[in-house]
Amino acid sequence: MEIGLMARKRYSDEDVLRLLREIELSLASCSDVATACRTAGVSDATYYIWRKRFGGMGRSEMANLKALQKENDRLKKIVAELELDKLILKESLDYLKPKA
């Protein structure tokens, strides 16, 4: 590994919410963003990205978001299967039509 390159950490959504709360508490005690982020172990750019994505979200909203994402994935799969069925039926119909 080259010097200066750090391994990239992956945080769960719950960890992100916890770190955001921790940074917000540091900011409330008159700390600046860079210092609060450094204390939490993330860059200020990461903080702004997380805040944009999860800002103001609590655990219950996170659970609702995950449930909605799961339902959305299920519905997308159903639509894809129906599109495939439609394509198969259309090709079958074209094959069965008498050629004039």
Side-chain angles (χ1 to χ4, degrees):
M1 181 185 288
E2 292 182 29
I3 296 175
L5 293 179
M6 294 178 53
R8 185 176 175 137
K9 294 181 184 178
R10 301 284 180 182
Y11 293 99
S12 68
D13 292 341
E14 290 79 15
D15 290 338
V16 170
L17 287 177
R18 183 183 50 77
L19 286 170
L20 280 174
R21 214 170 294 117
E22 185 180 311
I23 292 169
E24 294 296 330
L25 290 174
S26 294
L27 291 174
S29 66
C30 300
S31 179
D32 64 336
V33 173
T35 305
C37 291
R38 196 174 320 114
T39 304
V42 296
S43 71
D44 54 343
T46 300
Y47 164 71
Y48 288 117
I49 291 169
W50 285 351
R51 193 177 75 173
K52 182 178 179 184
R53 182 172 176 202
F54 298 108
M57 193 179 294
R59 290 180 193 258
S60 62
E61 290 95 355
M62 179 65 68
N64 289 341
L65 177 65
K66 284 188 175 189
L68 287 172
Q69 288 173 338
K70 187 175 181 179
E71 178 69 6
N72 194 31
D73 290 342
R74 186 182 74 81
L75 293 172
K76 283 182 178 180
K77 184 177 178 183
I78 290 171
V79 169
E81 289 171 356
L82 288 172
E83 286 292 326
L84 184 59
D85 290 347
K86 179 181 154 186
L87 181 63
I88 290 170
L89 288 172
K90 185 177 179 185
E91 288 179 359
S92 297
L93 184 62
D94 289 343
Y95 179 78
L96 293 174
K97 280 185 181 176
K99 305 286 190 250

